PDB file of all heavy atoms in Angstrom:
ATOM      1  N   MET A   1       4.934  10.615   8.243  1.00 40.00           N
ATOM      2  CA  MET A   1       3.561  11.065   8.121  1.00 40.00           C
ATOM      3  C   MET A   1       2.712   9.905   8.629  1.00 40.00           C
ATOM      4  O   MET A   1       3.086   8.749   8.676  1.00 40.00           O
ATOM      5  CB  MET A   1       3.237  11.399   6.697  1.00 40.00           C
ATOM      6  CG  MET A   1       1.817  11.938   6.502  1.00 40.00           C
ATOM      7  SD  MET A   1       1.628  12.695   4.907  1.00 40.00           S
ATOM      8  CE  MET A   1       1.164  14.298   5.469  1.00 40.00           C
ATOM      9  N   VAL A   2       1.503  10.226   9.055  1.00 47.00           N
ATOM     10  CA  VAL A   2       0.577   9.267   9.640  1.00 47.00           C
ATOM     11  C   VAL A   2       0.291   8.138   8.730  1.00 47.00           C
ATOM     12  O   VAL A   2       0.158   6.983   9.185  1.00 47.00           O
ATOM     13  CB  VAL A   2      -0.781  10.008   9.999  1.00 47.00           C
ATOM     14  CG1 VAL A   2      -1.785   9.000  10.505  1.00 47.00           C
ATOM     15  CG2 VAL A   2      -0.475  11.040  11.069  1.00 47.00           C
ATOM     16  N   LYS A   3       0.198   8.340   7.441  1.00 42.00           N
ATOM     17  CA  LYS A   3      -0.181   7.222   6.534  1.00 42.00           C
ATOM     18  C   LYS A   3       0.891   6.129   6.577  1.00 42.00           C
ATOM     19  O   LYS A   3       0.533   4.991   6.218  1.00 42.00           O
ATOM     20  CB  LYS A   3      -0.380   7.792   5.122  1.00 42.00           C
ATOM     21  CG  LYS A   3       0.910   8.284   4.462  1.00 42.00           C
ATOM     22  CD  LYS A   3       0.556   8.848   3.131  1.00 42.00           C
ATOM     23  CE  LYS A   3       1.818   9.457   2.505  1.00 42.00           C
ATOM     24  NZ  LYS A   3       1.570  10.075   1.236  1.00 42.00           N
ATOM     25  N   HIS A   4       2.067   6.360   7.027  1.00 42.00           N
ATOM     26  CA  HIS A   4       3.098   5.348   7.050  1.00 42.00           C
ATOM     27  C   HIS A   4       2.862   4.304   8.139  1.00 42.00           C
ATOM     28  O   HIS A   4       3.469   3.246   8.085  1.00 42.00           O
ATOM     29  CB  HIS A   4       4.478   5.955   7.191  1.00 42.00           C
ATOM     30  CG  HIS A   4       4.899   6.788   6.039  1.00 42.00           C
ATOM     31  ND1 HIS A   4       5.056   6.254   4.776  1.00 42.00           N
ATOM     32  CD2 HIS A   4       5.050   8.102   5.892  1.00 42.00           C
ATOM     33  CE1 HIS A   4       5.332   7.209   3.885  1.00 42.00           C
ATOM     34  NE2 HIS A   4       5.348   8.379   4.555  1.00 42.00           N
ATOM     35  N   ILE A   5       2.005   4.577   9.133  1.00 40.00           N
ATOM     36  CA  ILE A   5       1.809   3.618  10.188  1.00 40.00           C
ATOM     37  C   ILE A   5       1.100   2.411   9.667  1.00 40.00           C
ATOM     38  O   ILE A   5       1.166   1.332  10.247  1.00 40.00           O
ATOM     39  CB  ILE A   5       1.075   4.180  11.368  1.00 40.00           C
ATOM     40  CG1 ILE A   5      -0.355   4.548  11.002  1.00 40.00           C
ATOM     41  CG2 ILE A   5       1.794   5.331  11.983  1.00 40.00           C
ATOM     42  CD1 ILE A   5      -1.246   4.579  12.183  1.00 40.00           C
ATOM     43  N   LEU A   6       0.381   2.561   8.563  1.00 37.00           N
ATOM     44  CA  LEU A   6      -0.331   1.435   7.974  1.00 37.00           C
ATOM     45  C   LEU A   6       0.312   1.013   6.672  1.00 37.00           C
ATOM     46  O   LEU A   6      -0.330   0.489   5.789  1.00 37.00           O
ATOM     47  CB  LEU A   6      -1.807   1.831   7.744  1.00 37.00           C
ATOM     48  CG  LEU A   6      -2.581   2.145   9.043  1.00 37.00           C
ATOM     49  CD1 LEU A   6      -3.912   2.743   8.731  1.00 37.00           C
ATOM     50  CD2 LEU A   6      -2.697   0.905   9.907  1.00 37.00           C
ATOM     51  N   ALA A   7       1.595   1.226   6.595  1.00 35.00           N
ATOM     52  CA  ALA A   7       2.349   0.926   5.386  1.00 35.00           C
ATOM     53  C   ALA A   7       2.276  -0.530   5.000  1.00 35.00           C
ATOM     54  O   ALA A   7       2.429  -0.875   3.839  1.00 35.00           O
ATOM     55  CB  ALA A   7       3.778   1.388   5.454  1.00 35.00           C
ATOM     56  N   SER A   8       2.059  -1.374   5.955  1.00 29.00           N
ATOM     57  CA  SER A   8       1.976  -2.817   5.630  1.00 29.00           C
ATOM     58  C   SER A   8       0.773  -3.090   4.748  1.00 29.00           C
ATOM     59  O   SER A   8       0.738  -4.072   4.057  1.00 29.00           O
ATOM     60  CB  SER A   8       1.889  -3.677   6.876  1.00 29.00           C
ATOM     61  OG  SER A   8       0.755  -3.363   7.620  1.00 29.00           O
ATOM     62  N   CYS A   9      -0.164  -2.134   4.707  1.00 32.00           N
ATOM     63  CA  CYS A   9      -1.374  -2.353   3.868  1.00 32.00           C
ATOM     64  C   CYS A   9      -1.172  -1.689   2.481  1.00 32.00           C
ATOM     65  O   CYS A   9      -2.090  -1.674   1.668  1.00 32.00           O
ATOM     66  CB  CYS A   9      -2.554  -1.736   4.566  1.00 32.00           C
ATOM     67  SG  CYS A   9      -3.019  -2.538   6.065  1.00 32.00           S
ATOM     68  N   SER A  10      -0.076  -1.023   2.308  1.00 35.00           N
ATOM     69  CA  SER A  10       0.088  -0.206   1.106  1.00 35.00           C
ATOM     70  C   SER A  10       1.179  -0.800   0.175  1.00 35.00           C
ATOM     71  O   SER A  10       2.108  -1.350   0.553  1.00 35.00           O
ATOM     72  CB  SER A  10       0.498   1.222   1.513  1.00 35.00           C
ATOM     73  OG  SER A  10      -0.503   1.769   2.253  1.00 35.00           O
ATOM     74  N   LEU A  11       0.959  -0.510  -1.104  1.00 32.00           N
ATOM     75  CA  LEU A  11       1.972  -0.808  -2.120  1.00 32.00           C
ATOM     76  C   LEU A  11       2.510   0.528  -2.563  1.00 32.00           C
ATOM     77  O   LEU A  11       1.761   1.481  -2.735  1.00 32.00           O
ATOM     78  CB  LEU A  11       1.309  -1.469  -3.340  1.00 32.00           C
ATOM     79  CG  LEU A  11       0.816  -2.876  -3.070  1.00 32.00           C
ATOM     80  CD1 LEU A  11       0.051  -3.387  -4.290  1.00 32.00           C
ATOM     81  CD2 LEU A  11       1.933  -3.825  -2.734  1.00 32.00           C
ATOM     82  N   MET A  12       3.819   0.619  -2.794  1.00 32.00           N
ATOM     83  CA  MET A  12       4.365   1.865  -3.276  1.00 32.00           C
ATOM     84  C   MET A  12       4.550   1.825  -4.779  1.00 32.00           C
ATOM     85  O   MET A  12       5.135   0.885  -5.299  1.00 32.00           O
ATOM     86  CB  MET A  12       5.762   2.101  -2.575  1.00 32.00           C
ATOM     87  CG  MET A  12       6.380   3.443  -2.898  1.00 32.00           C
ATOM     88  SD  MET A  12       5.283   4.729  -2.382  1.00 32.00           S
ATOM     89  CE  MET A  12       5.937   5.047  -0.746  1.00 32.00           C
ATOM     90  N   LEU A  13       3.969   2.764  -5.420  1.00 33.00           N
ATOM     91  CA  LEU A  13       4.121   2.838  -6.892  1.00 33.00           C
ATOM     92  C   LEU A  13       5.445   3.429  -7.222  1.00 33.00           C
ATOM     93  O   LEU A  13       5.877   4.425  -6.636  1.00 33.00           O
ATOM     94  CB  LEU A  13       3.037   3.698  -7.496  1.00 33.00           C
ATOM     95  CG  LEU A  13       1.626   3.150  -7.534  1.00 33.00           C
ATOM     96  CD1 LEU A  13       0.686   4.124  -8.108  1.00 33.00           C
ATOM     97  CD2 LEU A  13       1.637   1.865  -8.386  1.00 33.00           C
ATOM     98  N   LEU A  14       6.120   2.848  -8.149  1.00 28.00           N
ATOM     99  CA  LEU A  14       7.410   3.348  -8.578  1.00 28.00           C
ATOM    100  C   LEU A  14       7.280   4.346  -9.723  1.00 28.00           C
ATOM    101  O   LEU A  14       8.268   4.688 -10.335  1.00 28.00           O
ATOM    102  CB  LEU A  14       8.333   2.177  -9.003  1.00 28.00           C
ATOM    103  CG  LEU A  14       8.607   1.173  -7.960  1.00 28.00           C
ATOM    104  CD1 LEU A  14       9.424   0.029  -8.470  1.00 28.00           C
ATOM    105  CD2 LEU A  14       9.287   1.789  -6.731  1.00 28.00           C
ATOM    106  N   LEU A  15       6.086   4.788  -9.923  1.00 34.00           N
ATOM    107  CA  LEU A  15       5.842   5.772 -11.009  1.00 34.00           C
ATOM    108  C   LEU A  15       5.944   7.191 -10.575  1.00 34.00           C
ATOM    109  O   LEU A  15       5.856   8.137 -11.377  1.00 34.00           O
ATOM    110  CB  LEU A  15       4.385   5.570 -11.516  1.00 34.00           C
ATOM    111  CG  LEU A  15       4.087   4.197 -12.138  1.00 34.00           C
ATOM    112  CD1 LEU A  15       2.569   4.142 -12.440  1.00 34.00           C
ATOM    113  CD2 LEU A  15       4.855   3.989 -13.379  1.00 34.00           C
ATOM    114  N   GLY A  16       6.179   7.379  -9.298  1.00 35.00           N
ATOM    115  CA  GLY A  16       6.233   8.761  -8.775  1.00 35.00           C
ATOM    116  C   GLY A  16       4.908   9.383  -8.607  1.00 35.00           C
ATOM    117  O   GLY A  16       4.781  10.577  -8.523  1.00 35.00           O
ATOM    118  N   VAL A  17       3.844   8.574  -8.557  1.00 37.00           N
ATOM    119  CA  VAL A  17       2.469   9.096  -8.410  1.00 37.00           C
ATOM    120  C   VAL A  17       1.938   8.875  -7.026  1.00 37.00           C
ATOM    121  O   VAL A  17       0.852   9.331  -6.748  1.00 37.00           O
ATOM    122  CB  VAL A  17       1.533   8.553  -9.488  1.00 37.00           C
ATOM    123  CG1 VAL A  17       1.901   8.989 -10.834  1.00 37.00           C
ATOM    124  CG2 VAL A  17       1.416   7.043  -9.406  1.00 37.00           C
ATOM    125  N   GLY A  18       2.580   8.164  -6.188  1.00 37.00           N
ATOM    126  CA  GLY A  18       2.093   7.974  -4.804  1.00 37.00           C
ATOM    127  C   GLY A  18       2.043   6.554  -4.399  1.00 37.00           C
ATOM    128  O   GLY A  18       2.591   5.665  -5.072  1.00 37.00           O
ATOM    129  N   SER A  19       1.381   6.302  -3.273  1.00 37.00           N
ATOM    130  CA  SER A  19       1.206   4.898  -2.779  1.00 37.00           C
ATOM    131  C   SER A  19      -0.242   4.493  -2.958  1.00 37.00           C
ATOM    132  O   SER A  19      -1.111   5.331  -3.058  1.00 37.00           O
ATOM    133  CB  SER A  19       1.602   4.855  -1.298  1.00 37.00           C
ATOM    134  OG  SER A  19       0.769   5.643  -0.557  1.00 37.00           O
ATOM    135  N   LEU A  20      -0.460   3.238  -3.011  1.00 41.00           N
ATOM    136  CA  LEU A  20      -1.824   2.746  -3.259  1.00 41.00           C
ATOM    137  C   LEU A  20      -2.097   1.573  -2.370  1.00 41.00           C
ATOM    138  O   LEU A  20      -1.470   0.480  -2.530  1.00 41.00           O
ATOM    139  CB  LEU A  20      -1.927   2.323  -4.728  1.00 41.00           C
ATOM    140  CG  LEU A  20      -3.292   1.852  -5.143  1.00 41.00           C
ATOM    141  CD1 LEU A  20      -4.289   3.011  -4.997  1.00 41.00           C
ATOM    142  CD2 LEU A  20      -3.278   1.371  -6.554  1.00 41.00           C
ATOM    143  N   PRO A  21      -3.013   1.700  -1.393  1.00 38.00           N
ATOM    144  CA  PRO A  21      -3.321   0.572  -0.539  1.00 38.00           C
ATOM    145  C   PRO A  21      -4.380  -0.269  -1.116  1.00 38.00           C
ATOM    146  O   PRO A  21      -5.540  -0.025  -0.941  1.00 38.00           O
ATOM    147  CB  PRO A  21      -3.746   1.274   0.713  1.00 38.00           C
ATOM    148  CG  PRO A  21      -4.396   2.522   0.280  1.00 38.00           C
ATOM    149  CD  PRO A  21      -3.660   2.902  -0.971  1.00 38.00           C
ATOM    150  N   VAL A  22      -3.995  -1.300  -1.772  1.00 41.00           N
ATOM    151  CA  VAL A  22      -4.979  -2.281  -2.299  1.00 41.00           C
ATOM    152  C   VAL A  22      -4.435  -3.645  -1.889  1.00 41.00           C
ATOM    153  O   VAL A  22      -3.325  -4.019  -2.142  1.00 41.00           O
ATOM    154  CB  VAL A  22      -5.078  -2.215  -3.832  1.00 41.00           C
ATOM    155  CG1 VAL A  22      -6.009  -3.224  -4.359  1.00 41.00           C
ATOM    156  CG2 VAL A  22      -5.526  -0.812  -4.242  1.00 41.00           C
ATOM    157  N   GLN A  23      -5.322  -4.410  -1.194  1.00 38.00           N
ATOM    158  CA  GLN A  23      -4.889  -5.734  -0.773  1.00 38.00           C
ATOM    159  C   GLN A  23      -5.651  -6.726  -1.535  1.00 38.00           C
ATOM    160  O   GLN A  23      -6.825  -6.595  -1.820  1.00 38.00           O
ATOM    161  CB  GLN A  23      -5.236  -5.934   0.737  1.00 38.00           C
ATOM    162  CG  GLN A  23      -4.447  -4.996   1.628  1.00 38.00           C
ATOM    163  CD  GLN A  23      -4.906  -5.187   3.084  1.00 38.00           C
ATOM    164  OE1 GLN A  23      -6.073  -5.288   3.339  1.00 38.00           O
ATOM    165  NE2 GLN A  23      -3.939  -5.240   3.906  1.00 38.00           N
ATOM    166  N   ALA A  24      -4.982  -7.857  -1.867  1.00 34.00           N
ATOM    167  CA  ALA A  24      -5.640  -8.928  -2.539  1.00 34.00           C
ATOM    168  C   ALA A  24      -6.465  -9.634  -1.546  1.00 34.00           C
ATOM    169  O   ALA A  24      -6.225  -9.654  -0.333  1.00 34.00           O
ATOM    170  CB  ALA A  24      -4.559  -9.889  -3.090  1.00 34.00           C
ATOM    171  N   GLN A  25      -7.561 -10.220  -1.982  1.00 33.00           N
ATOM    172  CA  GLN A  25      -8.475 -10.919  -1.066  1.00 33.00           C
ATOM    173  C   GLN A  25      -7.938 -12.234  -0.571  1.00 33.00           C
ATOM    174  O   GLN A  25      -8.272 -12.670   0.467  1.00 33.00           O
ATOM    175  CB  GLN A  25      -9.810 -11.215  -1.808  1.00 33.00           C
ATOM    176  CG  GLN A  25     -10.570  -9.948  -2.175  1.00 33.00           C
ATOM    177  CD  GLN A  25     -10.942  -9.132  -1.006  1.00 33.00           C
ATOM    178  OE1 GLN A  25     -11.408  -9.636   0.039  1.00 33.00           O
ATOM    179  NE2 GLN A  25     -10.734  -7.790  -1.016  1.00 33.00           N
ATOM    180  N   SER A  26      -7.016 -12.852  -1.308  1.00 33.00           N
ATOM    181  CA  SER A  26      -6.493 -14.127  -0.842  1.00 33.00           C
ATOM    182  C   SER A  26      -5.452 -13.912   0.247  1.00 33.00           C
ATOM    183  O   SER A  26      -4.756 -12.896   0.227  1.00 33.00           O
ATOM    184  CB  SER A  26      -5.849 -14.893  -2.019  1.00 33.00           C
ATOM    185  OG  SER A  26      -4.739 -14.181  -2.470  1.00 33.00           O
ATOM    186  N   PRO A  27      -5.327 -14.788   1.209  1.00 36.00           N
ATOM    187  CA  PRO A  27      -4.389 -14.606   2.302  1.00 36.00           C
ATOM    188  C   PRO A  27      -2.932 -14.647   1.881  1.00 36.00           C
ATOM    189  O   PRO A  27      -2.119 -14.045   2.455  1.00 36.00           O
ATOM    190  CB  PRO A  27      -4.721 -15.730   3.316  1.00 36.00           C
ATOM    191  CG  PRO A  27      -5.476 -16.733   2.514  1.00 36.00           C
ATOM    192  CD  PRO A  27      -6.121 -16.014   1.345  1.00 36.00           C
ATOM    193  N   SER A  28      -2.644 -15.322   0.796  1.00 39.00           N
ATOM    194  CA  SER A  28      -1.275 -15.424   0.341  1.00 39.00           C
ATOM    195  C   SER A  28      -1.160 -15.025  -1.151  1.00 39.00           C
ATOM    196  O   SER A  28      -1.702 -15.729  -2.030  1.00 39.00           O
ATOM    197  CB  SER A  28      -0.741 -16.893   0.527  1.00 39.00           C
ATOM    198  OG  SER A  28       0.497 -17.016  -0.034  1.00 39.00           O
ATOM    199  N   PRO A  29      -0.425 -13.970  -1.475  1.00 41.00           N
ATOM    200  CA  PRO A  29      -0.320 -13.557  -2.844  1.00 41.00           C
ATOM    201  C   PRO A  29       0.718 -14.371  -3.598  1.00 41.00           C
ATOM    202  O   PRO A  29       0.945 -14.142  -4.767  1.00 41.00           O
ATOM    203  CB  PRO A  29       0.120 -12.073  -2.760  1.00 41.00           C
ATOM    204  CG  PRO A  29       0.848 -12.006  -1.456  1.00 41.00           C
ATOM    205  CD  PRO A  29       0.197 -13.000  -0.556  1.00 41.00           C
TER     206      PRO A  29
END
């Protein structure tokens, strides 16, 4: 699916509820 092209911006929830693209503001987590 199209949303996977930006997967590097996404976190995958292991809860079975979907993916969530939230990036930390700092360059290195």
Side-chain angles (χ1 to χ4, degrees):
M1 184 168 239
V2 175
K3 66 183 175 183
H4 294 296
I5 68 155
L6 297 170
S8 63
C9 297
S10 298
L11 292 172
M12 187 58 94
L13 287 177
L14 299 176
L15 299 171
V17 294
S19 62
L20 184 62
V22 177
Q23 295 177 317
Q25 294 298 318
S26 66
S28 174

